[in-house]
Amino acid sequence: MTPRDALPSLGDGHPVVAIDVGGTTMKVTSVSADGTMSPPRRVPSPPPGPGSADEVVRIATALVHEEAERLGAPPAALGIALPGVVVEDQALGVYSENLEWRDVDFRAAFARTLDLPIAVAHDVRAAGAAETRLGAARGASTALVLAIGTGIATSVQVDGRLHVGRGYAGEIGHAVVVPGGEPCVCGNRGCLEATASAEAIRRRYERDTGTEVSGSKEVFARAAAGDPVAVAVRDSAFDALALGLSHAITLIVPDVVVLAGGLSEAGDALVVPLAQRLESLVRYGPVPRLVRATLGEDAGLVGAALAARDALAAQDDPQPSR
Amino acid sequence: MTPRDALPSLGDGHPVVAIDVGGTTMKVTSVSADGTMSPPRRVPSPPPGPGSADEVVRIATALVHEEAERLGAPPAALGIALPGVVVEDQALGVYSENLEWRDVDFRAAFARTLDLPIAVAHDVRAAGAAETRLGAARGASTALVLAIGTGIATSVQVDGRLHVGRGYAGEIGHAVVVPGGEPCVCGNRGCLEATASAEAIRRRYERDTGTEVSGSKEVFARAAAGDPVAVAVRDSAFDALALGLSHAITLIVPDVVVLAGGLSEAGDALVVPLAQRLESLVRYGPVPRLVRATLGEDAGLVGAALAARDALAAQDDPQPSR
């Protein structure tokens, strides 16, 4: 696995700045002309609320100026990965639950603060692009990069192209895996996210035991030590993840499924039981390779950098091969 | 709805012959230069077994010669839709359960009998292409055409392109919707196909009542008349179909879902309860339009004709827009 602070090289091209906007942290890196990415810096995200999008734009603009000084050269574009529902080609932040914005035109917003082309990316799809082009799914034609953290969502690459689906593709965290099961933030019950996200694993364990834990990692540790409630919560999460994945696999037949997000840090403790369940669930078609992400939590940032480079390449060559 | 015997016009182009190979029947039509499709003729499919692929090739070759006489002009290509697992661009019949073949190279087989370019299609994807180009999903960019008959499978069109997935895309009949449920031919339990296909509905009703029925249509009629077992079987099939579809919808966010195959002949008695269930299950993203197929049981034949026309267009213009 690539260490967290050693980002991959993007190869020769324009110098660009990339930013990944999360619910609590914004990360920034700059990419030099030879493709080297600087170690990511972190600043706090603005608080949620009506002004959050403007604040993101203001902070991002300041970060670009700072990175330009570090780079020693003006960047040719900014790539910015956004959370929630995003339509990349319209630079539209449709909806962010964490930052509480709706229908924000980020191209228009940045036009007021920054004289630079911007490329908007979606955090999960950006991470997916990074893993399929530079990480664990390198070379795959059809691939899922499943992010399991506070929520659950997957990038959906079909025959070499990332599918956007009007901004909603891959939101399988809100597919029902246990009819009538755990209540979900979306208003439904038994969604994959409500059953098997890192956050759901913590919450369910605390509810069933009355004992506070630091997170899913501690639940896994307790399960490994034989705590029967921890085993039950963990195994039902594995069952749910495998069932949700089996539906996605049966529909698009990926070459590889990459596990990303906080829960993937469990490594083989996650990959092995999931792979076993998939072997049993997927009987008709090929079972894809199941691997852990290699770009870690910086995959979205790498994807934002790729989006900036791609946008410039498309300008240089107005008939891209796609 | 288009009546069964009025096939759509394909528009001006090369004259071609199209054949759809089913488990019990082979259908043939010829398409004239102005795009008119002749009323389909039916002949029996060969029996399953080791020689079935050769027999299909022999019968298809004879049908092409007969159609050439009817056309009054030599056809420029044959388009042939095959059942089972098919890889179109390799003209490969990977597997047919009904006709019992494995790994048949149909281009090589036809090269021995027919001096004509052939285009191999997959029956479900061919029907999907026909519905999205000339039928109920016309103009849709991302679409599912779900065939519910003896089995269940869907075509998967993503951003305007049919996804093949090494021949296995869309086999959601073998996704589990009821863990531990009905045994399935694939060896698993609780598959969508084992719960909700027209055949499963008949079989489950007969098992639960000991009463023989002619098919799912009769079960639906008995349910409408208040038979509680028929209601239970029908409604659990609807639940399963909606759950399976909701996973597919959440992953790729289709603009439209087309219901095809024998069960779709139930019309609103199927479409309305399914649409209601989807409204409740799909909370996070857009719920697609749910419509009934308009090309009926000849959609696969129309798709085979389109495949033949497409192959010739690709020859005429070796750099297709795709």
Side-chain angles (χ1 to χ4, degrees), chain A residues 22-24 97-98 124 147-153 171 173-174 184-185 191-203 216 260-264:
Chain A
T24 55
E97 192 179 284
N98 289 327
V124 173
I148 317 170
T150 314
I152 294 180
E171 293 285 356
H174 297 288
C184 183
V185 289
C191 292
L192 179 57
E193 179 169 312
T195 315
S197 69
E199 171 59 17
I201 290 169
R202 184 197 58 74
R203 181 174 37 74
S216 60
L263 203 72
S264 72

Side-chain angles (χ1 to χ4, degrees), chain A residues 163 171 176 187 247 250-252, chain B residues 163 170-171 176 247 250 252 283:
Chain A
H163 177 51
E171 293 285 356
V176 171
H247 277 261
T250 307
L251 188 71
I252 66 162
Chain B
H163 177 51
E171 293 285 357
V176 172
H247 277 260
T250 307
I252 66 162
R283 302 274 183 109

Side-chain angles (χ1 to χ4, degrees), chain A:
Chain A
M1 188 178 159
T2 310
R4 281 295 153 65
D5 48 1
L7 293 177
S9 169
L10 302 194
D12 288 346
H14 293 284
V16 298
V17 173
I19 293 173
D20 183 9
V21 181
T24 55
T25 304
M26 289 172 65
K27 287 186 286 191
V28 63
T29 183
S30 50
V31 183
S32 60
D34 71 355
T36 307
M37 301 181 76
S38 66
R41 288 192 297 139
R42 287 163 170 71
V43 298
S45 297
S52 65
D54 286 341
E55 268 302 285
V56 161
V57 170
R58 192 189 62 74
I59 297 167
T61 301
L63 290 173
V64 170
H65 291 310
E66 292 168 25
E67 290 297 319
E69 274 189 47
R70 285 164 181 261
L71 262 176
L78 165 65
I80 186 163
L82 302 172
V85 178
V86 174
V87 179
E88 289 92 332
D89 60 359
Q90 299 174 43
L92 204 62
V94 177
Y95 172 61
S96 165
E97 192 179 284
N98 289 327
L99 291 166
E100 294 180 12
W101 66 54
R102 270 188 194 280
D103 297 322
V104 179
D105 180 341
F106 278 91
R107 185 159 290 126
F110 274 108
R112 291 192 285 270
T113 66
L114 203 60
D115 185 19
L116 204 63
I118 70 152
V120 162
H122 173 246
D123 53 6
V124 173
R125 279 188 289 281
E131 291 289 349
T132 46
R133 288 164 66 176
L134 300 166
R138 203 164 178 158
S141 171
T142 296
L144 299 172
V145 180
L146 183 73
I148 317 170
T150 314
I152 294 180
T154 186
S155 70
V156 183
Q157 179 175 307
V158 178
D159 295 333
R161 312 204 305 181
L162 271 177
H163 177 51
V164 174
R166 293 180 273 164
Y168 290 91
E171 293 285 356
I172 64 171
H174 297 288
V176 171
V177 288
V178 184
E182 302 282 334
C184 183
V185 289
C186 74
N188 215 332
R189 300 189 76 97
C191 292
L192 179 57
E193 179 169 312
T195 315
S197 69
E199 171 59 17
I201 290 169
R202 184 197 58 74
R203 181 174 37 74
R204 292 173 56 208
Y205 181 82
E206 290 189 348
R207 185 196 55 199
D208 292 355
T209 59
T211 305
E212 235 176 71
V213 285
S214 57
S216 60
K217 199 170 169 177
E218 190 177 337
V219 178
F220 276 40
R222 288 174 180 237
D227 174 340
V229 179
V231 168
V233 167
R234 181 198 64 185
D235 288 357
S236 63
F238 289 163
D239 289 345
L241 286 167
L243 187 61
L245 272 177
S246 73
H247 277 261
I249 290 166
T250 307
L251 188 71
I252 66 162
V253 194
D255 306 310
V256 58
V257 173
V258 178
L259 301 174
L263 203 72
S264 72
E265 289 167 21
D268 281 353
L270 174 70
V271 174
V272 171
L274 262 188
Q276 283 168 345
R277 283 166 170 81
L278 288 177
E279 284 291 339
S280 157
L281 276 168
V282 179
R283 301 276 184 108
Y284 192 80
V287 180
R289 282 189 300 130
L290 190 67
V291 297
R292 190 177 162 189
T294 55
L295 298 174
E297 58 179 345
D298 293 324
L301 192 61
V302 175
L306 287 169
R309 279 280 186 91
D310 288 352
L312 293 165
Q315 275 186 355
D316 294 348
D317 170 16
Q319 291 180 309
S321 60
R322 291 186 70 159

Side-chain angles (χ1 to χ4, degrees), chain B residues 294-308:
Chain B
T294 55
L295 299 174
E297 59 178 344
D298 291 325
L301 192 61
V302 175
L306 287 169

Side-chain angles (χ1 to χ4, degrees), chain B residues 86-98:
Chain B
V86 174
V87 179
E88 290 92 330
D89 61 359
Q90 297 173 45
L92 203 64
V94 177
Y95 172 61
S96 166
E97 193 178 284
N98 289 326

